[in-house]
Amino acid sequence: MSPIEPSNSYKQKTEPKPIKAIEIKENKPKSRLTAENINQAENQAEITLRPSSLDEYIGQERLKKILMIGISAALKRGDSSSMGHILLYGPPGLGKTTCAFLLSKLIGSQAHIFSAPSLDKPKDIVGVLMSLQKDDILFIDEIHRLNKITEELLYPPMEDYCLDLSSGNGASTRITRLPLPKFILVGATTKLGNISAPLRDRFTHIQKMEFYQEADLITIANRTARILNFDLSPEASKMIATRSRGTPRITNRLCRLVRDFSAHKNTNLASAEVVEEAFTLFQIDECGLENTDREILKTLIENYNGGPAGLETLAATIGEDARTLEDFYEPFLMQLGFLERTSKGRKATPKAYQYLGYS
Ligand code: ADE
């Protein structure tokens, strides 16, 4: 069989390696995540708590409304995928994957969940595209991390629902256009600014996921406690909500810690006292700051005179990965007004000095 490779009519510097058609079909991409087969224990726990309908999905009211309008209009046209591709951006843990699952449920199709780094070879994305059925949701997390070749391979499927495969080489190169079922790409990113304009412009909806309000996080904490089979007093759920950094994934994590701590205390009711004691032990303060957050601010203040300090320098000083610092810790510290990102680096604000007891 002659080598068949994904064609890339868009200019690229590196040619993808030839791929045999048979390889494409047989190749299963690495770390494929599906509703049944999520590969991390943390995600497995999240699935149990994940809302299974839009009604159960608390918060993000504007986004829900926009998605509902898009879906119902598309359904009226009798063509779900005509709602177009969706790009969701915002800090981690706000429910981007959950949105993809809920969309597939509403449409009555399957969600195929991937992370961009697992699609690093052209054959990975080709294999995924060829396995889609009509109206399926293809969810790509951290879509800003797709390599250029894979990204450009996605353009014809996004635009025309077809895959251009080239065979032969040099003057005898032939392009075969394979039709694909109509699908919806849901891209998720923590860094909208790192998405190239050609990719960004192919999404119909570009929506921001907002941090959650305290009232919504209280409702989520109560729901999670119900599913995990323990009781939270009203003060206790409020305490969990205020320490959740605006993020339901953290609410769920804190609920699990509190459940275990209550079990250790031989009670099924997590009262304010029990929760207070748990958070003191876990060193989670009243704003939801944990040790690493405080270390970031203290390092800036004590080692760099409040900053500015470069991201890599700061990360190396506290022994944390620069991306984790940037994507997970910093957004909330900025939201609280404790940290500033400037062109020269990170700075602790006067509010951070005050909060940590520095003059
Ligand atoms: N668990 C995580 N996110 C949630 C949400 N938005 N609503 C309900 N439960 C959740």
Side-chain angles (χ1 to χ4, degrees), residues 59-105:
Q60 304 291 349
E61 296 304 329
R62 195 185 50 85
L63 174 66
K64 278 197 290 192
K65 193 166 174 185
I66 288 170
L67 294 182
M68 276 316 296
I69 291 171
I71 292 180
S72 62
L75 288 175
K76 274 183 206 162
R77 290 190 291 270
D79 179 8
S80 308
S81 61
S82 70
M83 84 174 284
H85 306 297
I86 302 163
L87 181 61
L88 301 173
Y89 68 96
L94 300 185
K96 302 183 201 88
T97 316
T98 305
C99 274
F101 277 112
L102 293 183
L103 270 177
S104 72
K105 257 197 142 167

Side-chain angles (χ1 to χ4, degrees), residues 56-340:
E56 276 184 41
Y57 188 94
I58 295 149
Q60 304 291 349
E61 296 304 329
R62 195 185 50 85
L63 174 66
K64 278 197 290 192
K65 193 166 174 185
I66 288 170
L67 294 182
M68 276 316 296
I69 291 171
I71 292 180
S72 62
L75 288 175
K76 274 183 206 162
R77 290 190 291 270
D79 179 8
S80 308
S81 61
S82 70
M83 84 174 284
H85 306 297
I86 302 163
L87 181 61
L88 301 173
Y89 68 96
L94 300 185
K96 302 183 201 88
T97 316
T98 305
C99 274
F101 277 112
L102 293 183
L103 270 177
S104 72
K105 257 197 142 167
L106 280 169
I107 293 171
S109 65
Q110 253 220 294
H112 304 254
I113 312 288
F114 296 91
S115 177
S118 76
L119 303 172
D120 60 346
K121 298 202 178 64
K123 66 181 177 188
D124 292 334
I125 192 69
V126 170
V128 168
L129 288 165
M130 288 175 68
S131 73
L132 296 177
Q133 313 254 323
K134 183 163 164 24
D135 296 335
D136 276 358
I137 303 287
L138 170 58
F139 178 83
I140 303 183
D141 200 9
E142 300 189 78
I143 197 164
H144 61 274
R145 295 178 65 195
L146 278 181
N147 66 52
K148 202 77 200 129
I149 296 172
T150 306
E151 176 184 321
E152 290 179 357
L153 277 171
L154 265 176
Y155 295 165
M158 284 179 82
E159 222 158 294
D160 302 322
Y161 305 104
C162 67
L163 190 55
D164 290 340
L165 296 173
S166 69
S167 55
N169 39 38
S172 62
T173 305
R174 264 194 323 120
I175 305 244
T176 314
R177 196 152 241 230
L178 272 187
L180 293 171
K182 285 184 156 191
F183 66 98
I184 298 175
L185 175 66
V186 180
T189 181
T190 49
K191 295 200 179 86
L192 184 64
N194 287 14
I195 303 226
S196 71
L199 178 59
R200 197 188 54 220
D201 294 347
R202 286 174 166 84
F203 287 95
T204 307
H205 299 276
I206 301 178
Q207 290 301 326
K208 183 173 182 196
M209 306 285 295
E210 309 281 355
F211 278 120
Y212 286 61
Q213 299 298 313
E214 187 179 293
D216 289 336
L217 294 169
I218 290 176
T219 314
I220 292 173
N222 289 331
R223 175 182 178 272
T224 299
R226 245 187 344 267
I227 297 170
L228 297 180
N229 235 341
F230 73 105
D231 296 318
L232 275 173
S233 76
E235 305 96 297
S237 24
K238 186 169 158 60
M239 287 168 74
I240 289 178
T242 53
R243 285 157 180 77
S244 293
R245 311 165 72 107
T247 308
R249 185 183 291 161
I250 298 182
T251 311
N252 291 340
R253 187 179 130 239
L254 297 182
C255 282
R256 277 189 224 106
L257 292 179
V258 164
R259 175 199 54 185
D260 292 351
F261 194 80
S262 309
H264 159 74
K265 292 265 165 192
N266 294 317
T267 173
N268 203 39
L269 170 68
S271 62
E273 292 73 36
V274 169
V275 171
E276 181 75 58
E277 207 181 323
F279 287 150
T280 305
L281 177 68
F282 295 122
Q283 299 182 307
I284 300 169
D285 71 18
E286 62 275 14
C287 283
L289 298 195
E290 301 191 22
N291 269 340
T292 307
D293 303 290
R294 287 185 290 267
E295 213 185 324
I296 292 167
L297 298 174
K298 278 186 184 168
T299 303
L300 276 174
I301 293 170
E302 292 180 7
N303 297 28
Y304 299 101
N305 204 16
L311 171 69
E312 299 287 343
T313 310
L314 184 59
T317 314
I318 63 164
E320 191 51 84
D321 165 60
R323 243 200 14 250
T324 309
L325 202 71
E326 192 176 26
D327 293 348
F328 178 76
Y329 291 103
E330 289 187 349
F332 187 64
L333 290 174
M334 290 193 297
Q335 156 107 345
L336 288 178
F338 289 164
L339 184 102
E340 265 174 22

